[in-house]
Amino acid sequence: MSAGRTAALAGQLRLAHPGSRIRTHAAADDEFCRSLFREERAAQFAPLDLGDGALRAMLDQQFEAQRMATTRRFPDAEAFIIAHAGRDVGRLIVTFRAGSPAASEGTASRPSDSPTLHLIDLALAPAARNCGIGSDVINSLARAGHALGAKHFTLSVLESNEAARRLYGRLGFSTAADGVYSAMVRHLE
């Protein structure tokens, strides 16, 4: 059930933002995704003063660990690349889950015939932030998920990521559970 819907999602994603599009991730995109991860996380580890080579090696290890953990936890997940003005500017990973959303990560979902669209990861390059691309991606996912039968759209966001929490709140998500990560849900009915 989940794998078929996730694969069908690619055909449903249409961005309204001029010059933007979403395409399925290919092996040739791996270096872009790795570079985006480095760009996103480097400032977090700058205080360690590791030097460029050691920092790059550590971030590459973390990228691989995250990729393996995502694959293991969400075997039916689909990865996409977000492009704008002919340049790759972001990465997106989503899946469908059976049942209604759980109150928090790690708890069982309530039985239901309808799937839940789950956003695993969304990363945009700093130059692509605050210009409507992220909102467009989320709204496109919501439309596509609804078209494929999802009644809910869920995600988890770091409690400390205030900018993302505000964005998701503006886009109709509400907090279902708080912790280090906040579980958020948007009803698609």
Side-chain angles (χ1 to χ4, degrees):
M1 169 181 88
S2 163
R5 277 196 176 93
T6 303
L9 193 61
Q12 296 284 329
L13 293 171
R14 303 281 184 272
L15 296 179
H17 201 277
S20 296
R21 68 182 187 95
I22 297 177
R23 63 178 167 75
T24 302
H25 175 275
D29 297 314
D30 287 348
E31 185 50 40
F32 165 74
C33 292
R34 185 182 314 277
S35 175
L36 181 62
F37 184 87
R38 279 188 222 117
E39 185 177 22
E40 188 177 28
R41 302 285 172 90
Q44 197 176 357
F45 295 98
L48 298 178
D49 198 27
L50 297 174
D52 291 343
L55 178 61
R56 182 181 179 107
M58 184 184 74
L59 291 172
D60 286 349
Q61 283 180 324
Q62 286 195 341
F63 175 78
E64 286 304 320
Q66 181 188 57
R67 183 183 359 212
M68 289 186 310
T70 298
T71 300
R72 195 170 30 254
R73 187 165 179 204
F74 304 103
D76 295 332
E78 186 76 31
F80 299 94
I81 299 298
I82 303 160
H84 179 71
R87 299 186 62 173
D88 294 341
V89 297
R91 172 185 74 162
L92 171 68
I93 305 173
V94 296
T95 194
F96 280 89
R97 294 176 164 176
S100 298
S104 65
E105 277 302 302
T107 62
S109 61
R110 296 183 300 273
S112 172
D113 291 335
S114 63
T116 293
L117 176 63
H118 182 67
L119 174 62
I120 299 165
D121 192 31
L122 172 60
L124 288 175
R129 295 177 190 160
N130 299 313
C131 59
I133 296 171
S135 296
D136 196 12
V137 168
I138 295 297
N139 287 325
S140 178
L141 280 168
R143 286 188 305 272
H146 187 260
L148 293 169
K151 301 292 182 205
H152 302 94
F153 183 179
T154 61
L155 57 88
S156 295
V157 62
L158 273 170
E159 180 70 28
S160 61
N161 191 342
E162 286 296 323
R165 290 170 50 84
R166 281 192 308 274
L167 169 68
Y168 296 134
R170 282 193 312 269
L171 296 175
F173 286 85
S174 58
T175 302
D178 279 322
V180 174
Y181 285 88
S182 294
M184 301 185 81
V185 63
R186 175 175 165 178
H187 301 282
L188 299 179
E189 300 179 74

